[in-house]
Amino acid sequence: PPLGAAKAAAAPAPPADEDAAEAPAVGPALCDDMDSVAIRNDWCDLFLSRGGFAHLVAILLGMHVQADDAASLFVLRCVHRLQKLISFFLEEYFLCQLQRDGAGAEEFDGKLRDLVGHTLITLHTSVSLQTLFVSDSQQAPSHLSYAPPKHMDLCVPSNETDSLLPNTSPQQHPPNKKKSDSLAECKNVTRQCLVLLNSILSSSKTPRAISWLFDSWTPRDGTDGRALADHTHGHLYRALLSSLVRCPNEDIRTMTFSSALSIFVANPTFDRQYTFSLLSLLLTFIQHVADTAAHPPEKERSLISQCEKLFLLLESLITHLWDTSDDADREPKARAVFFSSSATDPGPPVVSEVAHFGRLLAWVSAAIAHHIPYERQRNEADVNFFLVGLVSLVDRLCRTLGDATKPSLADLLRHVFDACLFDIPRAGHRRDAPRAPKCKTAKSRQAAFRLIVTLCAGCPDNIALVVRLVLAQQAVDAPRTDLTDWNWNPLARDKSACEYVGLRNLGATCYMNSLLQQFFMTPPLRCGLLAAEAWGAPSASEGGAAPGEENLLYQLQILFGNLLLSEKKYFDTRGLCSAYKDYDGQPINPGEQQDVDEFFSIFMDKLKTSLAPLKEKNLLKDIFGGEICNQIICQECRHRIERCEDCLVLSLDVKGKKSVLESLDLYVEGEMLDGENKYFCEKCSRKCDSLKRACISTLPNTLILHLKRFEFDL
């Protein structure tokens, strides 16, 4: 109210001196403050007595915002101001002072019911606008927004250029100030909607107030809650799904979680049946997140990283309902879990009493088993909060229901141990999807280990099962030879977050590793070599030998396959070093540095020989093959003598040059043959000054440049 607010703002501040602060609070400042409070209260009483509150509610109910209309931000601002005024009266005077007796009470409750519905609609709209502004301004960091590098594709269209960077998304631009202001305005409206709902329902002493959230649905005797679970297009469903899961702002999701707890848990006057109804409604959100992750819509944000508060709310509701239920309701049906091999309803169960918690446990356990891997690397910024939530929810249900349910969860225990923790990638796994195990980050693995501990507590059968799984995992046919370090850390050998695999430097093999990595980053070469039948390629020792340690092509295929699919940090190149033989028949000496151009020439000759009997015999020529034309031009008659030859690489001088273009100019510049070096011109029939140069007559599809950075001083 302007009068009270203005006078309160004009009141002088209290003294800063400690003695003055400890003195009795008597003086002009206190009198002015008391006067301002009295004036404010009188103004508010007069405003309420003349129907001002009802008028504010009527104005607010007449304002509607479209989620797809950015121009409706003005209406959103007006709604925000009106909600703040209404929240002020609800918080300052409470519902008990605003309500009337008789017919007035019913009319007032009707307005509040309409106000709750309008607030739910506004809450959903404001979050939708936030999502719209975030998607327009910048690409949100999520698992599904990451596009694998083009070099990871086995087949790449020829008209596409390859990128050396793992992130091929369009360049991101910072959002402009107008969009930032609009986003901030939407966040303010969302917060105010939650405050208003909390003010109406948390401070309400009317037990029927909680029913206002559920539209026209009200509990009836004998209902199982299916009416609410099927009502997935109601205001509460859309508002809660938007603010608790779909909202890109974590603070809003946290505030929604706190508001739900305050309304459904902290208020003992509401019927517990509505809490069960909310629990069933939240279970449909789990199904929605799972469906979105499996089949993401176009430009859809991944909800996997935004569902942490959803599962925290579910755990809180389960604990609250169990703690406030009678012992007669808990036994014996709640502790009995039945798993059937026959097909059951894939949808989430309806939980209308604690006796249905066993049904819920079975459904969540099946959801864990069907959930596909999401985490790509041990990157703590890529946590699968959906899987963490499912595992934590089973953990909570097991600790709630007791030890009687644990023997029936042996299959889940085996799945968590194998698929979630200790599974390894295999050739049959999809290459374009995250590979095993399901839990790679510290947070998800800790949740899985906690569940195993819970399932084993008080259950000898599960303990025996874990012992058998551990012994089977440690059983080996022969002692391992790779554990040479007492301080062995498997995480240090895991693939990096950029999803590239390196090559181990065996001492002085950096020249070879850099060349092989560039070969791998050339899609046509990589695809062609991997498609070749290495069994028909000759080895270095004898022609036509089966692939093995002496087959260069086979070893190169192994190297490319590991760079493409391995989950390790690097690949050891000792097999390739043994298969490669120089002109003297000697393998690569890892401790000896070589000239990369010389190594390239021998390597390409050996590879060409390996490909000769195969259908890919022209692979190197098709990719790297160009044609150099050596010319001698007479400077008098301009007669030209040309001799063309194939080439795979251009050697460029870089000393004193600022760029590759200058080196290329020098390459084709040539030299003058004059004096004693004059060339005999057949057309002039005598020796003449001539220009000797090399030109590129045919460009290769992929050009290799050798930069001569070193000179030999002979």
Side-chain angles (χ1 to χ4, degrees):
L3 181 59
K7 192 148 189 175
D17 183 65
E18 294 183 0
D19 296 335
E22 294 177 358
V26 178
L30 178 61
C31 295
D32 290 344
D33 187 58
M34 294 176 60
D35 291 343
S36 64
V37 172
I39 293 174
R40 186 194 65 175
N41 292 340
D42 293 341
W43 188 93
C44 291
D45 291 339
L46 181 62
F47 181 79
L48 293 176
S49 63
R50 297 188 177 183
F53 182 82
H55 186 60
L56 289 177
V57 173
I59 296 176
L60 179 60
L61 295 179
M63 308 184 78
H64 302 282
V65 185
Q66 300 297 327
D68 56 350
D69 186 10
S72 60
L73 284 174
F74 173 76
V75 180
L76 206 61
R77 296 187 185 99
C78 297
V79 170
H80 181 210
R81 271 70 173 175
L82 287 171
Q83 287 179 338
K84 291 183 67 175
L85 283 174
I86 295 174
S87 297
F88 165 78
F89 285 108
L90 292 176
E91 293 173 358
E92 293 290 332
Y93 288 86
F94 302 105
L95 291 176
C96 58
Q97 300 181 24
L98 290 172
Q99 291 173 346
R100 302 291 187 268
D101 296 331
E106 294 184 2
E107 181 181 357
F108 186 78
D109 287 349
K111 290 184 179 297
L112 289 182
R113 180 187 179 115
D114 295 339
L115 182 60
V116 169
H118 184 275
T119 305
L120 291 175
I121 296 175
T122 306
L123 177 60
H124 167 67
T125 303
S126 61
V127 174
S128 300
L129 286 174
Q130 287 185 55
T131 307
L132 178 64
F133 286 131
V134 169
S135 60
D136 287 345
S137 59
Q138 59 183 359
Q139 183 69 27
S142 65
H143 163 65
L144 292 180
S145 65
Y146 175 79
K150 292 181 180 178
H151 84 274
M152 304 301 286
D153 296 332
L154 284 174
C155 298
V156 178
S158 58
N159 58 344
E160 293 188 8
T161 58
D162 195 35
S163 174
L164 298 180
L165 298 177
N167 184 9
T168 58
S169 59
Q171 185 178 3
Q172 300 178 2
H173 300 281
N176 54 40
K177 187 177 184 301
K178 183 177 180 181
K179 285 187 177 180
S180 300
D181 295 342
S182 301
L183 183 61
E185 189 71 35
C186 292
K187 293 178 182 178
N188 292 334
V189 174
T190 303
R191 293 189 182 95
Q192 191 59 48
C193 288
L194 295 172
V195 170
L196 182 56
L197 288 173
N198 199 54
S199 301
I200 297 174
L201 300 173
S202 296
S203 59
S204 176
K205 306 302 181 182
T206 305
R208 65 178 178 274
I210 191 66
S211 65
W212 300 336
L213 285 173
F214 296 94
D215 300 324
S216 60
W217 182 88
T218 53
R220 297 181 295 274
D221 294 338
T223 181
D224 62 350
R226 176 65 67 177
L228 176 65
D230 292 339
H231 191 51
T232 57
H233 298 288
H235 300 326
L236 178 62
Y237 176 88
R238 289 192 294 265
L240 198 55
L241 178 63
S242 298
S243 59
L244 187 62
V245 178
R246 302 183 68 88
C247 182
N249 188 280
E250 185 177 0
D251 294 337
I252 298 297
R253 300 197 298 270
T254 303
M255 189 174 180
T256 305
F257 165 75
S258 302
S259 299
L261 287 182
S262 176
I263 294 172
F264 286 90
V265 176
N267 197 329
T269 62
F270 294 150
D271 189 351
R272 293 174 68 249
Q273 187 63 37
Y274 289 103
T275 307
F276 280 109
S277 300
L278 177 65
L279 180 63
S280 299
L281 189 65
L282 294 178
L283 294 179
T284 64
F285 294 176
I286 296 180
Q287 189 67 42
H288 175 81
V289 175
D291 294 341
T292 304
H295 306 286
E298 185 179 1
K299 298 182 179 180
E300 177 68 52
R301 288 174 55 88
S302 173
L303 303 181
I304 293 291
S305 60
Q306 300 177 187
C307 59
E308 182 179 15
K309 302 303 179 184
L310 167 63
F311 288 98
L312 290 178
L313 182 56
L314 280 168
E315 291 186 41
S316 301
L317 294 178
I318 290 173
T319 303
H320 168 71
L321 291 170
W322 184 266
D323 293 341
T324 57
S325 61
D326 298 331
D327 292 338
D329 297 334
R330 301 176 182 177
E331 297 288 353
K333 293 186 294 182
R335 300 183 185 274
V337 184
F338 301 96
F339 289 89
S340 174
S341 59
S342 60
T344 58
D345 184 8
V350 176
V351 181
S352 58
E353 54 182 336
V354 293
H356 295 160
F357 281 179
R359 180 193 307 172
L360 173 60
L361 177 58
W363 181 76
V364 178
S365 301
I368 294 177
H370 291 96
H371 184 64
I372 62 175
Y374 169 85
E375 298 173 348
R376 289 185 175 271
Q377 296 296 326
R378 302 182 190 272
N379 183 3
E380 297 307 316
D382 194 31
V383 178
N384 186 352
F385 285 106
F386 185 75
L387 182 59
V388 172
L390 291 175
V391 171
S392 300
L393 192 57
V394 172
D395 191 358
R396 170 65 63 180
L397 288 170
C398 288
R399 286 187 280 114
T400 300
L401 299 177
D403 298 339
T405 62
K406 296 177 181 179
S408 59
L409 297 173
D411 291 339
L412 175 64
L413 175 59
R414 185 180 291 103
H415 178 81
V416 172
F417 187 92
D418 291 333
C420 294
L421 290 173
F422 299 111
D423 195 10
I424 59 176
R426 297 180 179 86
H429 290 173
R430 288 178 53 192
R431 183 189 57 83
D432 58 342
R435 289 175 285 276
K438 293 182 179 181
C439 299
K440 298 183 180 67
T441 62
K443 190 176 185 67
S444 60
R445 295 184 70 83
Q446 288 172 4
F449 279 119
R450 281 196 302 268
L451 178 58
I452 291 179
V453 173
T454 300
L455 293 176
C456 290
C459 184
D461 293 339
N462 287 347
I463 295 177
L465 175 60
V466 171
V467 171
R468 291 195 301 270
L469 292 174
V470 172
L471 292 177
Q473 186 188 60
Q474 301 301 320
V476 294
D477 297 333
R480 294 182 61 174
T481 59
D482 58 333
L483 304 181
T484 58
D485 188 359
W486 285 103
N487 190 24
W488 188 72
N489 182 12
L491 296 181
R493 303 189 180 187
D494 204 22
K495 184 193 289 187
S496 61
C498 67
E499 299 201 6
Y500 289 102
V501 179
L503 295 176
R504 183 182 180 185
N505 192 342
L506 302 180
T509 58
C510 53
Y511 67 94
M512 180 187 70
N513 292 351
S514 62
L515 183 64
L516 294 176
Q517 287 282 17
Q518 293 182 74
F519 283 162
F520 175 76
M521 297 291 283
T522 306
L525 178 65
R526 179 182 66 247
C527 299
L529 291 178
L530 290 176
E533 296 289 342
W535 296 91
S539 63
S541 58
E542 53 181 325
E549 295 183 358
E550 300 298 323
N551 191 298
L552 179 63
L553 176 59
Y554 180 70
Q555 292 295 333
L556 188 59
Q557 286 180 330
I558 293 178
L559 185 143
F560 280 2
N562 278 272
L563 291 181
L564 188 67
L565 302 175
S566 175
E567 290 293 316
K568 295 183 178 181
K569 188 174 184 178
Y570 57 81
F571 175 73
D572 197 311
T573 59
R574 282 179 290 187
L576 183 68
C577 292
S578 299
Y580 172 87
K581 299 295 189 295
D582 59 16
Y583 291 132
D584 296 331
Q586 299 298 320
I588 294 177
N589 183 0
E592 179 180 321
Q593 180 75 31
Q594 296 188 27
D595 178 64
V596 67
D597 183 48
E598 180 181 356
F599 172 78
F600 170 79
S601 299
I602 301 177
F603 186 85
M604 297 301 277
D605 288 342
K606 299 293 183 181
L607 189 58
K608 184 178 180 180
T609 302
S610 299
L611 293 172
L614 307 179
K615 63 180 181 179
E616 293 84 5
K617 59 182 179 181
N618 294 324
L619 179 64
L620 299 180
K621 182 178 180 181
D622 294 339
I623 299 174
F624 302 117
E627 191 175 68
I628 298 297
C629 182
N630 296 303
Q631 298 178 340
I632 298 179
I633 304 175
C634 178
Q635 297 301 296
E636 296 185 9
C637 66
R638 310 304 298 177
H639 176 65
R640 179 177 304 179
I641 300 177
E642 296 181 348
R643 179 176 58 85
C644 296
E645 60 182 8
D646 297 333
C647 75
L648 298 176
V649 61
L650 294 182
S651 296
L652 303 180
D653 294 317
V654 297
K655 183 177 181 180
K657 304 301 178 185
K658 297 181 180 180
S659 65
V660 174
L661 294 179
E662 292 186 7
S663 298
L664 288 172
D665 291 337
L666 178 63
Y667 184 85
V668 299
E669 182 178 315
E671 61 176 333
M672 290 298 301
L673 301 178
D674 53 8
E676 296 180 354
N677 295 325
K678 288 183 178 181
Y679 186 78
F680 182 83
C681 178
E682 297 178 354
K683 189 174 182 180
C684 297
S685 299
R686 59 186 177 86
K687 289 186 176 182
C688 303
D689 293 342
S690 303
L691 174 64
K692 181 181 179 182
R693 68 177 185 181
C695 299
I696 304 174
S697 59
T698 302
L699 282 171
N701 291 314
T702 300
L703 177 62
I704 299 179
L705 298 178
H706 168 225
L707 306 181
K708 297 190 290 185
R709 297 182 296 119
F710 303 100
E711 294 182 353
F712 293 97
D713 187 3
L714 301 179

